[in-house]
Amino acid sequence: MPIKTDLTDPQKLRIATQSLTTEQLATVCDRVQTLIDERHQLRQQKLDESNIKQMRGLMSKAGISWEEFQDALK
């Protein structure tokens, strides 16, 4: 069973990566950036969905359908 290391602590991260080559570190960097990008996209998607839900609720209160709203944008 692998030992979990707190990789958010800069000192522990430095120790954990001392034996890696430059290429391995670059690969890790690329993978971490991919995870960051995915997390950002997920957060943005959830924010967009929340905004749309809120907007639809307000439109419903105002008596405007989604189709009417989209037609007004054309």
Side-chain angles (χ1 to χ4, degrees), residues 1 3 5-6 15 45 49 58 64 71 73:
M1 184 166 161
I3 299 172
T5 303
D6 178 11
I15 292 168
Q45 180 182 7
E49 289 170 359
L58 292 172
I64 301 170
D71 288 342
L73 295 176

Side-chain angles (χ1 to χ4, degrees), residues 52-67:
I52 288 172
K53 184 178 178 181
Q54 182 181 18
M55 185 172 62
R56 284 186 175 187
L58 292 172
M59 288 170 40
S60 177
K61 286 182 181 179
I64 301 170
S65 72
W66 182 251
E67 290 77 21

Side-chain angles (χ1 to χ4, degrees), residues 4-6 8 14 16 18 24 28 31 33-34 41 44 49 51 59 64 73-74:
K4 292 189 178 188
T5 303
D6 178 11
T8 60
R14 182 171 280 114
Q18 280 180 338
Q24 289 171 321
V28 169
R31 289 179 182 170
Q33 188 59 52
T34 299
Q41 288 173 352
Q44 188 62 48
E49 289 170 359
N51 288 340
M59 288 170 40
I64 301 170
L73 295 176
K74 292 179 183 177

Side-chain angles (χ1 to χ4, degrees), residues 23-36:
E23 291 81 15
Q24 289 171 321
L25 287 170
T27 299
V28 169
C29 183
D30 291 342
R31 289 179 182 170
V32 169
Q33 188 59 52
T34 299
L35 292 172
I36 291 169

